[in-house]
Amino acid sequence: MGIQMNKNFLLGVGFTFIIAIVSILLSNLPILNKVGALAIAIITAIMYRHFKCYPTQIESGIAFSSKKLLRLAIILYGLKLNLSTIIHQGSTLLIFDVGVVAFAICFMILLNKIIKGDKNLVLLLGIGTGVCGAAAIAAISPILKSKERDIGISVGLVAIMGTIFSLTYTLLFALFPMDPTAYGIWSGASLHEIAHVILAADAGGSEALSIGLLTKLGRVFLLIPLSIIFLVIVNRKKSNKVAQKIDFPYFLIGFLIMSAVNTFVDIPEGVLNVMSTFTTLILIMAMVGLGLNVSFSDLRTKALKPMIAMAITSVLLSVITYFVAGIL
């Protein structure tokens, strides 16, 4: 019995690994290279569930990828942050980033009061739009006690929406060239994922790319205080008892430790590149696991209104940050 369970566990992990690798390979093809492996993996997993059903026999391995590997990916994501650079070189941009995150989350919540979409999905999408896409959703969803299907839907929508916007930015820059620094700030302040910022800002050259990443990483940095804020809010909503168990996502401590390591330890660039590739791989494996929990009926009944709210918020965010970037 134990051997069979271990076999199913390994098959489940291997299943998410294979789809992740296929997604990465597909993302190198023309046209699909603009979509990105993350979106491809989510879509593939949803399609697999629709046509083949959820593979319950290997569920333990899939759950491991969607939960444990996801937390490991968030921890290693901290290696992308250099706290010193953000605080000293990007202090003005960091203040700008605070406004971006606050606007994205608060505006989506207010807009949802009008359109009356799924509250949890809207909140997750606001977090993903304002901070750093899948990583932010994955980090804060345990605090919100979000369901895996909601996490999968929100990550998929953010990945697809961010791809559309990054391609639009690239086209706009080609048609209406702007100052590389302003373009980089605009991309870094308003696009959803780090990959989206790289895709869009690279069109403006090395200067636009470097300032775009600095701006974006400021938003990633805000994941730490934002998590604390949500922890306080969620625990205050719990029943008032003398002693309450605080459900702290301890993997965020790992995220902070990795950020500190990257800040104070001189890690060879080759090592960072390897770790970045590994982080991307296990994050995509986690996305496969989450995508398998999403059905087309979920998308049809739950995702439409939150998607509309995110689209409106993303457009407004792009317009506002465009003008602010020109001033900065």
Side-chain angles (χ1 to χ4, degrees):
M1 184 68 177
I3 296 175
Q4 183 64 35
M5 288 179 65
N6 288 334
K7 179 183 176 181
N8 290 337
F9 171 80
L10 292 174
L11 286 173
V13 175
F15 181 76
T16 61
F17 174 78
I18 290 171
I19 294 184
I21 292 296
V22 170
S23 300
I24 292 171
L25 292 175
L26 289 174
S27 69
N28 291 316
L29 298 176
I31 300 178
L32 290 179
N33 63 349
K34 304 298 183 184
V35 177
L38 197 68
I40 293 172
I42 288 278
I43 294 170
T44 302
I46 294 173
M47 295 291 288
Y48 184 93
R49 169 169 177 151
H50 180 71
F51 291 106
K52 292 284 190 178
C53 296
Y54 185 89
T56 53
Q57 191 173 2
I58 56 174
E59 183 177 10
S60 59
I62 293 172
F64 175 83
S65 292
S66 65
K67 295 177 181 177
K68 303 298 183 182
L69 288 187
L70 184 58
R71 284 157 175 71
L72 177 59
I74 298 304
I75 291 172
L76 296 177
Y77 209 82
L79 289 173
K80 297 179 182 291
L81 273 181
N82 186 301
L83 303 176
S84 178
T85 301
I86 292 170
I87 293 171
H88 293 105
Q89 296 182 24
S91 54
T92 301
L93 294 174
L94 190 59
I95 296 172
F96 182 28
D97 288 334
V98 171
V100 167
V101 174
F103 173 81
I105 296 174
C106 294
F107 185 79
M108 282 198 67
I109 292 174
L110 290 173
L111 187 58
N112 193 54
K113 291 183 181 295
I114 299 172
I115 64 175
K116 301 187 185 304
D118 184 279
K119 291 182 180 179
N120 190 58
L121 260 183
V122 165
L123 183 54
L124 289 175
L125 289 171
I127 292 166
T129 300
V131 189
C132 52
I137 292 170
I140 297 183
S141 56
I143 300 173
L144 302 176
K145 304 293 186 185
S146 303
K147 297 177 180 177
E148 287 198 14
R149 65 179 181 182
D150 290 345
I151 301 171
I153 291 172
S154 56
V155 167
L157 290 178
V158 165
I160 294 168
M161 188 74 69
T163 299
I164 294 170
F165 271 75
S166 57
L167 292 174
T168 302
Y169 278 31
T170 304
L171 178 62
L172 289 174
F173 184 78
L175 295 175
F176 311 102
M178 61 187 294
D179 177 73
T181 299
Y183 178 66
I185 294 174
W186 181 39
S187 301
S190 57
L191 290 174
H192 306 67
E193 300 269 0
I194 288 180
H196 297 146
V197 175
I198 294 173
L199 174 61
D202 187 59
S206 58
E207 183 182 348
L209 182 57
S210 60
I211 193 68
L213 285 174
L214 180 61
T215 308
K216 180 61 178 178
L217 289 175
R219 292 162 68 192
V220 177
F221 170 78
L222 293 175
L223 179 59
I224 301 166
L226 187 66
S227 298
I228 295 172
I229 290 171
F230 274 108
L231 269 172
V232 172
I233 292 173
V234 169
N235 280 283
R236 279 185 176 178
K237 287 183 176 181
K238 289 182 178 180
S239 57
N240 294 322
K241 296 179 180 179
V242 176
Q244 291 189 42
K245 180 183 177 182
I246 299 177
D247 301 314
F248 188 84
Y250 290 100
F251 58 89
L252 285 177
I253 296 177
F255 172 85
L256 187 57
I257 291 173
M258 289 296 102
S259 302
V261 168
N262 188 42
T263 302
F264 301 110
V265 179
D266 187 17
I267 304 175
E269 187 175 349
V271 174
L272 285 176
N273 289 336
V274 170
M275 294 305 296
S276 178
T277 301
F278 177 69
T279 302
T280 300
L281 174 61
I282 62 173
L283 181 60
I284 294 172
M285 289 174 65
M287 293 305 109
V288 173
L290 292 172
L292 287 169
N293 285 282
V294 180
S295 65
F296 277 113
S297 62
D298 291 332
L299 293 173
R300 186 174 60 254
T301 58
K302 298 187 68 175
L304 182 59
K305 289 183 178 180
M307 183 176 65
I308 292 172
M310 180 177 64
I312 294 172
T313 302
S314 296
V315 169
L316 285 176
L317 189 63
S318 292
V319 172
I320 294 170
T321 52
Y322 173 82
F323 288 107
V324 176
I327 297 172
L328 293 176

